[in-house]
C-alpha cells in the first residue's frame, strides 16, 4: 500500500509531461479542426445568413440541399467524375513520364525540366492559357485539328468536353507526381531487375512484379493526395467557366458557376455560391459536411491495407 501513492504520482507526472509535449498539437487541432467542424455541424441545422443570429430549423437545410438546391447533384456528379477520371489519369500519366525519364540515357535533365515547369505556373494563369489555346474559334489546337481533318471539339464551351479539357489541364501540370515517382523508381533495387532478366522476365513482367510492388506506397500516397485535391477543386473550373462565358468583370458582378450547362460545377464552388452569393450559410455547411464525409470515405477506402485502387506494399 505504501508504494501505491508514489506510483500514482509518477503516472500523473508522466501524463502531464506527455500532455505538455502534445499541447501544441492539441491546441492547433482544437482551434483549426474540432471547433470549425462542430460549428459547421451546428450551423447546418440553423437558418443563418451571416447578419442575424442563427435560428434552429432542424433538418430543413439538409432537405433543401438534397431535394431542392438545383446545383448540388450536378456538382456532386462532376466532383466524383474528377475524382475517378482525373486522379486516375494524373497518376498513370505521372508514372508513365517518370518511367520514361528514368530510362532516357541523355537529355533527362532537359525533359525533367520541361515536364516540371508547367506545375510552377499559377492556377489562374495556367487556366487562362488553356482556355485561349482551346478556344473553339481561334485557338491553335482546333486550328491544327481542322488542318489535320479531325473533328474540333468545343472544349470549355461544350458540356461534353469541359471536364476532359480540365483533365488535360491537370495532366499538363503533372510535374509534381513525375518528381515523386522518379525518386521512387530510382530507389528500386537494381539487383531485382538483374535477377528477373536472368530468369527471362520481359519488360511488362518486370514492371508488374518488381516496379509496382516496390513503389506501391508511393502510388497510394499519390492517389490519396490526388483525391483530396480533386475534392477541393475550385479555381480552375471556376476560371475556365467564367472566361468561356465571357464574364471577366471585377467585383460586384454576379456569376452563376458551372458554365457550360453546369458541367464545370464542383462541390467547393457551390459552398461559395450558397454561403457568399445566396447568404445561406446553413446550406453551405451541409455541402461542406457532405464534402468532408466523401473525402474521409475515399481516404479510408484507399488507406485500407488491401483496399482501394492498389495494394500497399508489405
Amino acid at each position: 500500500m505504501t508504494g501505491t501513492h508514489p506510483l500514482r504520482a509518477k503516472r500523473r507526472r508522466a501524463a502531464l509531461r506527455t500532455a505538455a509535449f502534445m499541447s501544441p498539437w492539441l491546441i492547433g487541432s482544437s482551434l483549426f479542426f474540432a471547433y470549425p467542424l462542430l460549428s459547421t455541424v451546428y450551423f447546418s441545422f440553423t437558418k443563418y445568413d451571416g447578419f442575424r443570429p442563427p435560428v434552429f430549423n432542424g433538418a430543413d437545410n439538409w432537405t433543401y440541399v438534397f431535394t431542392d438546391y438545383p446545383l448540388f447533384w450536378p456538382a456532386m456528379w462532376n466532383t466524383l467524375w474528377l475524382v475517378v477520371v482525373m486522379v486516375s489519369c494524373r497518376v498513370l500519366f505521372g508514372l508513365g513520364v517518370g518511367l520514361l525519364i528514368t530510362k532516357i540515357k541523355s537529355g533527362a535533365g532537359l525533359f525533367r525540366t520541361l515536364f516540371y515547369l508547367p506545375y510552377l505556373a499559377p492556377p489562374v494563369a495556367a487556366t487562362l492559357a488553356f482556355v485561349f489555346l482551346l478556344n473553339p474559334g481561334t485557338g491553335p489546337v482546333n486550328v491544327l485539328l481542322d488542318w489535320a481533318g479531325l473533328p474540333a471539339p468545343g472544349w470549355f464551351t461544350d458540356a461534353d468536353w469541359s471536364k476532359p479539357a480540365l483533365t488535360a489541364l491537370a495532366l499538363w501540370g503533372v510535374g509534381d507526381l513525375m518528381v515523386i515517382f522518379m525518386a521512387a523508381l530510382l530507389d528500386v533495387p537494381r539487383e531485382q531487375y538483374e535477377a528477373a532478366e536472368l530468369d527471362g522476365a520481359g519488360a511488362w513482367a518486370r514492371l508488374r512484379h518488381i516496379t509496382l510492388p516496390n513503389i506501391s506506397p508511393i502510388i497510394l500516397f499519390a492517389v490519396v493526395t490526388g483525391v483530396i485535391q480533386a475534392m477541393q477543386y475550385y479555381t480552375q473550373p471556376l476560371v475556365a467557366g467564367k472566361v468561356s462565358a465571357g464574364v471577366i468583370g471585377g467585383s460586384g458582378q454576379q456569376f452563376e458557376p458551372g458554365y457550360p450547362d453546369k458541367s464545370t460545377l464542383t462541390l467547393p464552388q457551390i459552398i461559395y455560391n450558397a454561403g457568399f452569393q445566396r447568404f445561406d450559410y446553413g446550406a453551405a455547411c451541409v455541402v461542406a459536411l457532405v464534402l468532408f464525409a466523401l473525402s474521409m470515405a475515399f481516404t479510408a477506402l484507399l488507406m485500407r491495407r488491401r483496399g482501394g485502387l492498389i495494394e500497399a506494399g508489405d
Side-chain angles (χ1 to χ4, degrees):
M1 296 294 294
T2 55
T4 303
H5 294 296
L7 183 59
R8 286 182 179 175
K10 184 177 180 180
R11 289 177 177 172
R12 188 179 300 111
R13 286 195 299 270
L16 291 174
R17 185 165 54 249
T18 303
F21 280 114
M22 292 181 63
S23 59
W25 178 84
L26 291 172
I27 294 172
S29 298
S30 301
L31 289 177
F32 301 110
F33 178 74
Y35 173 71
L37 179 59
L38 294 175
S39 298
T40 303
V41 173
Y42 167 71
F43 286 124
S44 70
F45 293 99
T46 65
K47 181 177 177 60
Y48 184 45
D49 59 6
F51 300 100
R52 289 164 291 190
V55 178
F56 182 79
N57 65 351
D60 288 354
N61 294 325
W62 294 83
T63 303
Y64 167 71
V65 167
F66 283 100
T67 59
D68 298 322
Y69 190 18
L71 304 182
F72 177 72
W73 288 111
M76 174 71 80
W77 158 247
N78 293 334
T79 301
L80 294 177
W81 191 98
L82 293 170
V83 166
V84 174
V85 178
M86 187 174 73
V87 174
S88 300
C89 290
R90 284 195 87 239
V91 172
L92 292 174
F93 187 63
L95 178 59
V97 172
L99 283 168
L100 177 64
I101 293 180
T102 55
K103 301 299 182 184
I104 294 177
K105 300 299 182 183
S106 60
L110 174 62
F111 283 102
R112 186 165 59 242
T113 302
L114 290 176
F115 275 105
Y116 187 74
L117 279 177
Y119 173 71
L120 301 178
V124 174
T127 307
L128 287 172
F130 247 70
V131 171
F132 287 112
L133 286 172
L134 300 178
N135 186 290
T138 59
V141 173
N142 277 12
V143 171
L144 291 174
L145 290 175
D146 284 333
W147 179 78
L150 298 174
W155 301 112
F156 289 110
T157 61
D158 186 343
D160 294 329
W161 283 93
S162 57
K163 287 188 285 295
L166 288 172
T167 303
L169 172 60
L171 294 181
W172 181 66
V174 80
D176 57 333
L177 290 184
M178 176 202 69
V179 171
I180 293 172
F181 283 130
M182 281 183 57
L185 290 166
L186 293 173
D187 200 39
V188 178
R190 304 304 305 174
E191 313 85 64
Q192 296 184 14
Y193 288 120
E194 294 169 0
E197 288 178 0
L198 290 175
D199 289 339
W204 171 250
R206 294 196 299 271
L207 174 66
R208 180 181 176 185
H209 298 291
I210 297 176
T211 304
L212 293 181
N214 275 283
I215 68 170
S216 59
I218 307 303
I219 299 177
L220 178 64
F221 169 80
V223 173
V224 171
T225 55
V227 167
I228 294 173
Q229 290 172 358
M231 287 288 183
Q232 299 173 347
Y233 206 49
Y234 176 83
T235 303
Q236 290 90 334
L238 183 66
V239 172
K242 275 193 170 187
V243 177
S244 301
V247 181
I248 319 179
S251 60
Q253 191 172 31
Q254 288 293 325
F255 172 72
E256 195 78 359
Y259 181 87
D261 195 23
K262 303 178 183 177
S263 62
T264 57
L265 267 177
T266 59
L267 290 176
Q269 287 186 51
I270 66 170
I271 292 175
Y272 179 85
N273 176 261
F276 297 99
Q277 290 182 310
R278 299 171 183 254
F279 296 101
D280 189 349
Y281 288 98
C285 289
V286 171
V287 180
L289 290 173
V290 170
L291 184 61
F292 174 74
L294 284 174
S295 301
M296 293 295 292
F298 274 110
T299 304
L301 176 67
L302 294 170
M303 290 299 291
R304 291 181 58 186
R305 187 164 182 77
R306 297 198 179 274
L309 301 177
I310 63 171
E311 292 186 357
D314 291 329

